[in-house]
Structure formats: C-alpha cells, structure tokens
Amino acid sequence: MTVRELRSKFLRFFEAKGHLHFPSASLVPYDVTGRLDESLLFTGAGMVQFKPYFRGIAQPDHKRLMTCQKCVRTGDIDIVGDDTHLTFFEMLGNFSFGDYFKTEAIAYSWEFLTSTEWLGLDPQRLSFTIYEEDDEAFAEWCKWFATVGIDGSTRVFRLDDETNYWPAGAFTKGPPGPCGPNSEMFYWVADSPPPGPKYTRADWIADDAAVNWVEIWNDVFIQYEWQGELKNPSRPAEGFQKTGMPELPFRSIDTGMGLDRTALVLGGYRSVYDTDVFLPIFEAIDALGNPGPETDPEEVARARRVIADHIRTAVFCISDGVLPANNGRGYVLRRLIRRAVLKGVRALQIKEPFFHLVYEGVVASMGDYYTELTERRDVIVETLRNEEALFRRTLENGLRLLNEQLQAAEGAFSGASAFHLYDTFGFPLEVTQEICRESGIEIDVDEYDLALGEAQARSRSGQEREAVYSAVGGVTELAVDGAPDTTDFTGYADTQHAARIVKVRMPEGSTTTYVALDNTPFYAESGGQVGDTGDLCFADASIRVLNTTKNQGTFWHEVASPDGHAADSLLGQVIVAKVDAARRARILRNHTATHLLQAALRRVLGTHVTQAGSHVSPSSLRFDFTHGRSLAREELEAVERMVVDQILANSDVTIYVDIPIAEAKARGAMALFGEKYGNSVRMVEVADFSRELCGGTHVRTTGQIGLFKIVSESSAASGVRRIEAITGEAAYEFVLEQSARISEAAALLKAMPRELVHAVERQTEALRDERKKRERAEAAMAKGSTTANSTTTQVGTNILVTQRFEDLDSKIVSEWVDDLVARDPHAIALAALVVDGKITFTCKVGGAATAHAGNLVREVAKIAGGGGGGRPEFATAGGKDVSKVDEALAAAPSFL
Ligand code: SER
C-alpha cells in the first residue's frame, strides 16, 4: 500500500464514521482561532490546533473531525537517519470534541487496524500499552482480543505517565493544557514469529527496547486541564509546579497515527526510508552524482537519509513562512539546512550547491496533496539556494579550522572554539558536535553557552526597553459592567466617532494608561501598519492618544497620564474619538503604495518575491522581500515606474469584506506567508494589478498617493532585500530638496542647473589638465637642470655625472638617473636630493661602466654624515649634513 493510499484509506474510514475532513494546520503553531501557540516552536501533533476546542473556549462546526497533519519534531534530530525517526512526518488523526469517548475510539482503532476491508493487520502481531490506572482501556482492548481468541493480558500492558499520558509525563510535570491518559498501539516487526501465550510485561519492555515493536498509533483520552506555574519564571526550562488538574467541561478524543511508520509496517519494511514516499527524493539525491569509491558506504547511506529527511522539513517550513534566521523557528530551519549541506559535502562529496535540487523530489512525492509546495516553489528554491550559498562561502575555512582544532584536541574540544565556528563560520553547535563525536571528542557545552551568552549580552542593548517593560509587575484593569470582550473598529469609514470608555488599564509603575472603547476609529498597530494617534475629546477637555495597539480583539489607546481626570474616573465616560486625520492620510498612501510595490516587484523580478516583513508609517514605507541579489539600477527604475504608472492610472482600490478565502486565493490574492487566516477574509484589490489579503487602511483611488519614490535598496537578512520608499508630501519634499541641492551646486560652478553634469565634467577635466601640466613642468625642470647644473667628469672610460636636487619628488630623481645611464652605458649617475634637511644619494651605474654603485654612495654619504649602500648597479644612501652635500659630490671622482 502506498503512502497516498494509506492516507486516503484512513480518511475514508473515518468519513464513514461521521468525521469531517479538516485541513492541516500550518507548521507555525496557529490554533483554530488564529492565535499563535507561544509554548511551541512547531506544530508537532494533530491536536495542537484544536486546543481551544478541547477547552471549550471555541466550538467546532462539527464534533467529529479528522486530519492529516504535517508535523515537525526536532527533539530526536541526533538519531535521524536510523530506521524510524524523522524530523518531518504526517500524522493521521480522528478527533471527538465532547462526542464519542474511549469505548468508540478503541473500537474504531481496532477495526481500522485489523479489518481486512481496511489495514487487515494480524492481531497476533499487535500489542497495546495503557496508563497504569486505566482499567477501562484494559477491558476494551481485552474484549477485542477475545473476539480473535487471544488472551488480552498477554498483549495489553500498563505503563506510567511518561509513556502513557499525553503530553508525555503530563500527569506529574505538565505542561499546562488539555491532557489525558493514552493508549499506544504497536506492531511486531522482528523477523522472528510474534510472541506466544506466555508473554509478559517484562518481555514486552525488553522487545520494545530491541525495536521489535514499532509504535504506529496513539489514542489520547483527553479529560483534564493540567494547571501549574513555572517553578522559576526566569528559568522556564526548570519546568512547572502542578497546582491542580480539574476535569475539562467534556471528554474528548485525540488520536495520532504516524503515516510513515504505518506504511513501513504495511510494506513489511524495516525502515521508513524504504516507503514509496521517499523514492523520488532519493532519486533526486542520487541524480546529483556518484560519491566515488573512497567513501564509506555506511556514511553515504546515512547522509542520504539525513538529506531526505531534512529536505522535507525545510521545504514544508519555508512553505509555511519560516525563513532561515539566528533564532527561534528560523534557527531550527537554518540548522537543518546546514546539517544536510554538510552531509552532502563531507559524505557525498557534492561540490556545487545541491539542496534546492532535491526539492523536486519532495514535489514529485508529495506535491499533489500539499499544493503549497508548488504554489511557493520560487520562494522555496530561492531560499534554499541562498542559504546554502551563504553557508558555502565560509564552509571551507570553517572545516579547515575545525579539523585543525580536532587534531589538537585531546579528548575535549573547547566550547569557545565551537562558538567561534558558529559565530564566524555559521556552524550550528549540533553540527560541530556531530563531527567531533565521529572522532570520539566531546565539546565543552558550558563554555559554549558562556561565550554565546556574552555575545548575546553585547548585542542586547537595543532590546533593553522590552525587558524593562516586561519587568513591570502587576496591571490594574478596570471595566464597566457588561464591557464587550472585543472592540468594534469603525475606522475604515471614519476618522472620528462617538464612543464610551469601557476599560482602563494601568500598569504598575508606569505613567502610561491604556483605554479601551466600545468602538473606535483608531487603527491598532498590525500587519506592518503603525497604530493611529489622535485625541479623546470630552465636553471641556481632551486627552492625547499616543499609540493604538490591540490584544485579543480589544483595541488599547495608549494615553499619557490623563490631564485633570484621574485614570479611574475615565471609566464609563462618553467621548468623541478623533484620529489625526492628516497623519492617517499619509499612512493610507504608504500602505496602498506598499501593495503596488509588491505587485511591481513580482512582475519585474519574478514570483519568488514574497513579503518577509513590512512597516507602514506616516513618513515612509519599508518592504522586505525574498530575493537573493541586490537590485540593478534598471530593475529599481522599472519597479518605480510601474508603481507610478498605476498611480497615474488613478485606479479604484476595491475592498472585499468577508469573502471566502478559497475565492480570494482563486483570484490570486497574495496572502501573508505563514499567517493564519479565517474562512472569510478581507481582500484589497487595485485594478487588475494587485490583490492582497489585508486588514489595513487604504486610499480610495491610487491617484491619492500622489508621488512614489524609492529612496533606498539594501540587504535586510540573508536572501531578503529591503526597499524604503516615500509617497505624497514626503516624496514631494524629497524632490524639492534634491532640486535645491542641484541649484546650489550649479551656482557654485557658475552654471545653469540643467548644465550641472556638463559643468562638473568640465571642472574635472580642467583639474586633470592642471595636474598633468604641473607634473610635466616638474619633470622638465628636473631634466632641464640636468644640463644646466650637473657636473660631468671623465674617469677612465667612465663618465661620472653628478647633480644636486632640492625639494623634488624622489620619482623624478629616479627618472633622472635611469635616463642618464639609458642614454650612455658608460655613464655613472650620482644624485643628491635634499628635502626638509634630509639628503638622499642615489647612484646608478651604466652597463659598460666599471664602478660599484653601493661602494660609491657609501663613501660619498660618509662625507655628509650618513651611510648606506647596495647593489653594484644601483644603490641609495642617506646623509644628514646639508652643508656638506656639494663637497661630497665633488669628492666622487676621487673614489672612482
Ligand atoms: N497527540 C497525540 C500524539 O501526538 C495523539 O495525536 O501522539
């Protein structure tokens, strides 16, 4: 059975049991309400997105759902490459939210596993573990075993909460959240026949350790809300202290079947890498070339597996909006890519960037089900290629250093060196550790952490504010009776609205107060657009709104300590909320212009361009996007011109409120990469040029933007470029200032502004001519003085020419001696150059002359209180006594 068939079989089975197919959540763990689960880096199980449903704080449309969830777990990254561990895998799951419970869940699992209509697995080869106190689960499984004549007590075993609670160990150590006992399902994969009727719990534990059993499925009986507090809030890693474990409002089911592992079992394989899903990926790897005879086949096999695993994780992460970075999810991604690249370089001897080529294998095997892989092809390929190129730039030097240090290391590798490898060469610690381990050498991780901590402390100064803010202790929050949970936003239509103050928050020790209204025209900072400022007006006074932010649907207006009104007396007051309209208008221009810019970039540079960040403020806009190279001037001009054309066309900006996401996507709307959207969305359209999902405020027609000007293009991060631009008044001011500067410069050159370039050229040329003239004059002076001031003496067949020079460039003196001996091979040229009271004697001897330049200058220099010497044909020497220069030159013939 192929992986595809298994996936669809599971979904068909549970559909027949009344389940609706719910889409896989993003790998970035947004839950069904659109909130990011801060406790997790990645979605690692089907249940993650459903936490609000289990808790009863959000209601699903249907009480029975099923999913095929993409999952990333990197906890076992070191053993990836063995038979069963992967960092990316698919989890099939059926869920009940307060509908069926344990009896049905176990019955469904048994039927799907054993019925010949479904997987038809041999019950003799199945075993189950349950939580030690779960008598019900024990009875249910035994009931099913009895139907096939097997004594359940030889197949169902009780274990503790480390293995048989979800999350693992949840009964004792948390984390906070929905949890419950579980039951894991195992299949006998050993070559020997499955165990007989005397099988015990101790036998099972030994066989599990020997990997004779492979876990394929897990039923979780969600029942409780584990409650607890961090033992030490400043060190979250120390874990939680349990404070209670009340029952949830209803009982639920969460199950997770490992698609790859189940396919392994069905195919009779020993390794998940033998399943068909990996075939096209290995083909793509093998197409890169043959590693050559001197490579170790075991190392090659492992490297192929690691690359095959990591490419899936990398590709799925990028398609969900994660980009390589130095922290958080981005760092996990970076580590995976670099680890795979190193395997390719070291074990497979691949010389050129290759990882992005393996992407095609993933598309061939999974692209039909996960359409995001091809929809985001360009950005995936570009990101992989850039990250590998970045790493390869330092790879060779890093590896050389690593090897040198490995040879020097005796048993231990310094943590500071490992940090240096990370900091300078981009080697993730785990990668260095892995390479060291191959030589049986350990890294001093404490020392590494210390070096990392110091580096972080050095770069943290900019983030201090945040730390201080979160250190502020308690918050007092007051609310009127019946205060709404969320604020109505009226600001798409107006910038002014009557409203009532319904909540007031006062962070302890802060002079800022936060005010919430029942409805507000103030836009709250989101989607890159800054929050509005303005005033809350009472009959006789007003208070200033410095910023607007939102938290879970409530818009908070940040006000300076209210003047004449005690903070708590604000509560319940009716006011008029007035947004700074001129500032808002500037924001609108920049926001719509950002959309036009993105559309233009995709047309000029290609569809790999994807938003990686944006900041829309009244003064300017900043747009970060995925692209591996800086933009050429022509490209920037083309982009700018395209945006300006759209402005000149004065197209309508149409807002579609609440359209189904499928429709928006079908119409080609750009979604913010990795963002969680609801079923209906807001789409902003500019003619046929740009469509984006966006909650921001925009101009009504593009003509209102006025003018658009790109002011800079730079690198924001590896593979990410940044464009800053201005619109409207700011762009006009910019143009004014530029032309003023041009006029000023032209006036200085006594030219008309339009002749500035020509005038500068003329000026530069004149300067160049001037300089040449001067040089020529100097040279002429030097040569001219040769004939006038030099002394020529015949000594045997030699012709000695001496001359004194003052304040000249030594180059001219060199030319003079060269010139002389070039003209007459019998010549011996001896020059004395006096500059700032220092004397330099230079002597050159012609090819036919019989003298030693070194000896001659030495004797001559002595007279002037100096010394030196050199080769027979050319030498220089210094002197100190300027009054003796002529005497020294005059003595030269006698030395010959
Ligand atoms: N949450 C459980 C697991 O991941 C079952 O889906 O194993």
Side-chain angles (χ1 to χ4, degrees):
M1 192 183 302
T2 64
V3 165
R4 260 188 205 92
E5 284 161 1
L6 173 59
R7 196 194 286 125
S8 81
K9 213 164 205 186
F10 182 94
L11 297 175
R12 262 188 290 127
F13 175 82
F14 281 100
E15 191 181 0
K17 304 291 180 197
H19 293 66
L20 280 190
H21 188 185
F22 197 87
S24 170
S26 165
L27 283 173
V28 179
Y30 289 102
D31 69 22
V32 284
T33 69
R35 276 191 58 179
L36 184 64
D37 189 333
E38 306 281 358
S39 66
L40 300 170
L41 269 186
F42 291 102
T43 299
M47 59 84 70
V48 167
Q49 63 172 330
F50 295 133
K51 284 183 191 175
Y53 289 167
F54 291 125
R55 287 179 159 143
I57 55 178
Q59 277 70 45
D61 290 340
H62 197 72
K63 286 187 173 176
R64 296 180 176 213
L65 299 179
M66 54 184 181
T67 58
C68 179
Q69 173 66 49
K70 37 189 181 180
C71 294
V72 165
R73 291 188 191 176
T74 54
D76 291 325
I77 186 165
D78 285 343
I79 39 176
V80 165
D82 73 349
D83 285 338
T84 52
H85 288 87
L86 297 167
T87 59
F88 175 89
F89 60 97
E90 295 168 84
M91 186 182 276
L92 297 161
N94 54 294
F95 300 88
S96 148
F97 305 102
D99 192 39
Y100 63 84
F101 195 53
K102 205 175 288 182
T103 308
E104 295 87 338
I106 287 180
Y108 292 155
S109 293
W110 178 268
E111 183 184 348
F112 186 65
L113 289 175
T114 61
S115 159
T116 47
E117 207 184 313
W118 301 101
L119 301 191
L121 294 176
D122 175 4
Q124 286 288 353
R125 301 181 86 96
L126 289 174
S127 72
F128 306 103
T129 59
I130 54 167
Y131 179 54
E132 51 204 358
E133 291 167 17
D134 195 349
D135 298 333
E136 272 169 7
F138 185 79
E140 291 299 329
W141 286 127
C142 287
K143 182 179 88 190
W144 289 109
F145 270 122
T147 63
V148 290
I150 296 175
D151 174 2
S153 68
T154 65
R155 283 295 183 282
V156 188
F157 301 106
R158 295 172 191 258
L159 296 175
D160 65 15
D161 77 321
E162 248 333 301
T163 49
N164 283 82
Y165 232 84
W166 174 265
F171 185 79
T172 31
K173 59 176 203 265
C179 68
N182 68 22
S183 176
E184 298 186 338
M185 294 159 241
F186 294 82
Y187 188 80
W188 182 259
V189 291
D191 294 332
S192 52
K198 294 237 159 63
Y199 200 59
T200 66
R201 182 173 176 277
D203 298 332
W204 187 91
I205 290 174
D207 276 329
D208 182 48
V211 204
N212 292 333
W213 293 108
V214 164
E215 184 200 338
I216 53 175
W217 200 355
N218 184 16
D219 282 359
V220 186
F221 315 118
I222 301 249
Q223 221 169 323
Y224 307 104
E225 172 82 24
W226 197 93
Q227 294 175 336
E229 287 158 359
L230 281 177
K231 285 183 188 152
N232 180 351
S234 57
R235 288 172 170 266
E238 287 178 15
F240 296 89
Q241 180 72 45
K242 187 173 180 177
T243 54
M245 199 164 92
E247 291 230 22
L248 285 163
F250 45 79
R251 297 169 164 203
S252 295
I253 290 296
D254 147 35
T255 91
M257 167 178 269
L259 179 58
D260 309 82
R261 288 194 186 175
T262 309
L264 165 162
V265 159
L266 292 166
Y269 306 122
R270 216 34 223 247
S271 155
V272 282
Y273 295 100
D274 296 333
T275 58
D276 62 286
V277 78
F278 279 103
L279 270 179
I281 303 179
F282 283 128
E283 275 167 20
I285 296 173
D286 294 338
L288 297 168
N290 197 322
E294 70 280 14
T295 43
D296 170 1
E298 223 169 86
E299 208 187 311
V300 168
R302 195 177 164 88
R304 286 170 80 245
R305 284 179 171 196
V306 169
I307 293 170
D309 170 77
H310 290 8
I311 186 70
R312 293 208 305 172
T313 316
V315 159
F316 275 92
C317 279
I318 299 170
S319 78
D320 276 347
V322 181
L323 293 173
N326 278 343
N327 51 32
R329 293 176 190 93
Y331 188 53
V332 174
L333 172 63
R334 170 160 285 170
R335 262 165 42 193
L336 285 165
I337 297 176
R338 294 188 171 196
R339 190 164 182 260
V341 168
L342 260 181
K343 291 277 176 208
V345 170
R346 297 178 77 233
L348 306 186
Q349 313 273 329
I350 306 175
K351 302 278 184 294
E352 296 296 321
F354 68 95
F355 203 43
H356 63 285
L357 301 174
V358 189
Y359 156 79
E360 297 300 342
V362 185
V363 171
S365 93
M366 308 176 79
D368 56 341
Y369 188 76
Y370 295 99
T371 51
E372 63 267 38
L373 297 188
T374 44
E375 280 163 19
R376 296 179 185 156
R377 167 188 298 273
D378 294 349
V379 70
I380 295 171
V381 171
E382 184 88 356
T383 304
L384 292 175
R385 201 200 333 243
N386 285 336
E387 179 64 14
E388 179 165 358
L390 184 75
F391 186 39
R392 276 185 183 261
R393 245 174 261 159
T394 56
L395 188 64
E396 224 175 275
N397 288 338
L399 274 178
R400 190 176 320 120
L401 186 81
L402 177 57
N403 285 333
E404 274 165 24
Q405 306 217 334
L406 262 179
Q407 318 236 295
E410 282 164 15
F413 191 87
S414 117
S417 303
F419 178 72
H420 179 60
L421 277 167
Y422 161 70
D423 204 31
T424 312
F425 300 104
F427 280 49
L429 173 66
E430 297 75 2
V431 169
T432 308
Q433 267 175 322
E434 200 174 309
I435 297 175
C436 287
R437 224 172 281 137
E438 289 165 11
S439 316
I441 287 177
E442 283 301 318
I443 293 181
D444 184 341
V445 178
D446 287 341
E447 197 184 88
Y448 174 89
D449 286 341
L450 209 68
L452 177 67
E454 280 168 10
Q456 283 171 339
R458 277 197 299 278
S459 65
R460 200 177 291 131
S461 43
Q463 296 156 17
E464 221 87 84
R465 215 179 87 98
E466 207 172 32
V468 173
Y469 182 78
S470 56
V472 172
V475 177
T476 315
E477 184 172 319
L478 308 167
V480 298
D481 280 346
D485 284 340
T486 55
T487 315
D488 278 337
F489 177 60
T490 59
Y492 289 130
D494 305 311
T495 50
Q496 186 167 330
H497 215 274
R500 183 162 174 248
I501 297 179
V502 292
K503 288 179 200 166
V504 177
R505 287 187 120 213
M506 290 163 290
E508 203 176 280
S510 159
T511 55
T512 317
T513 300
Y514 298 86
V515 164
L517 310 174
D518 53 353
N519 73 78
T520 183
F522 282 75
Y523 184 83
E525 188 177 292
S526 61
Q529 179 176 335
V530 298
D532 279 330
T533 61
D535 297 288
L536 304 183
C537 303
F538 303 84
D540 54 346
S542 68
I543 51 177
R544 190 77 195 132
V545 176
L546 305 172
N547 190 16
T548 314
T549 51
K550 67 181 171 190
N551 186 8
Q552 297 190 36
T554 298
F555 284 48
W556 291 104
H557 305 79
E558 179 184 333
V559 297
S561 275
D563 198 25
H565 293 266
D568 47 0
S569 73
L570 294 173
L571 207 61
Q573 299 233 35
V574 173
I575 47 101
V576 177
K578 291 186 189 169
V579 173
D580 287 335
R583 180 176 180 273
R584 166 73 85 77
R586 286 201 284 270
I587 296 173
L588 303 185
R589 291 189 190 106
N590 284 334
H591 202 156
T592 310
T594 307
H595 286 208
L596 297 177
L597 173 62
Q598 164 155 224
L601 284 167
R602 288 172 63 86
R603 281 177 169 78
V604 173
L605 302 178
T607 49
H608 61 278
V609 167
T610 309
Q611 175 164 346
S614 86
H615 185 73
V616 176
S617 76
S619 56
S620 64
L621 65 94
R622 191 175 76 210
F623 185 69
D624 294 349
F625 56 98
T626 49
H627 185 61
R629 291 171 302 282
S630 64
L631 273 69
R633 204 174 98 197
E634 303 74 52
E635 289 173 324
L636 275 174
E637 271 177 20
V639 167
E640 190 175 85
R641 193 173 291 276
M642 207 178 266
V643 172
V644 170
D645 283 345
Q646 288 301 317
I647 295 172
L648 294 179
N650 198 23
S651 312
D652 285 333
V653 178
T654 317
I655 313 276
Y656 297 83
V657 189
D658 272 347
I659 72 161
I661 182 139
E663 189 187 328
K665 284 203 169 157
R667 299 175 66 173
M670 295 297 306
L672 235 196
F673 207 25
E675 189 100 324
K676 171 87 185 175
Y677 292 97
N679 289 333
S680 64
V681 291
R682 186 171 185 268
M683 180 173 82
V684 179
E685 178 184 270
V686 184
D688 213 19
F689 187 69
S690 150
R691 284 190 192 86
E692 277 189 43
L693 304 190
C694 177
T697 57
H698 289 272
V699 294
R700 286 173 210 281
T701 61
T702 54
Q704 293 178 333
I705 297 172
L707 183 56
F708 172 83
K709 189 84 199 80
I710 293 176
V711 290
S712 78
E713 191 273 337
S714 58
S715 159
S718 82
V720 178
R721 304 299 302 176
R722 165 170 297 174
I723 284 185
E724 287 177 274
I726 48 183
T727 63
E729 299 99 320
Y732 177 61
E733 295 293 340
F734 179 82
V735 172
L736 271 190
E737 204 207 297
Q738 298 272 316
S739 75
R741 258 191 241 161
I742 290 173
S743 300
E744 255 173 64
L748 288 174
L749 294 172
K750 302 200 176 20
M752 301 293 288
R754 70 189 141 76
E755 286 164 349
L756 178 61
V757 175
H758 188 57
V760 171
E761 273 169 3
R762 259 197 335 246
Q763 190 85 0
T764 323
E765 225 167 87
L767 281 175
R768 204 184 314 130
D769 288 350
E770 197 61 34
R771 201 180 59 231
K772 276 202 187 133
K773 236 190 265 168
R774 206 183 55 233
E775 282 171 3
R776 270 201 302 271
E778 277 181 0
M781 194 181 69
K783 283 198 184 123
S785 52
T786 310
T787 34
N789 303 330
S790 59
T791 309
T792 307
T793 320
Q794 178 100 28
V795 184
T797 56
N798 299 322
I799 299 163
L800 174 67
V801 185
T802 60
Q803 163 141 12
R804 172 178 177 148
F805 297 94
E806 303 276 344
D807 294 331
L808 271 186
D809 192 317
S810 61
K811 263 203 303 209
I812 292 172
V813 175
S814 311
E815 274 169 28
W816 179 79
V817 294
D818 288 346
D819 197 43
L820 264 179
V821 300
R823 269 191 271 153
D824 186 350
H826 293 282
I828 300 166
L830 174 64
L833 170 64
V834 181
V835 178
D836 293 337
K838 273 197 212 116
I839 313 160
T840 315
F841 292 101
T842 308
C843 178
K844 186 151 185 176
V845 174
T850 56
H852 191 289
N855 295 343
L856 181 58
V857 281
R858 187 176 333 102
E859 296 307 324
V860 170
K862 254 187 218 157
I863 297 180
R871 290 175 287 124
E873 66 284 359
F874 180 85
T876 58
K880 292 193 198 91
D881 188 350
V882 178
S883 65
K884 295 270 173 59
V885 171
D886 295 333
E887 189 186 315
L889 288 179
S894 66
F895 296 127
L896 280 182

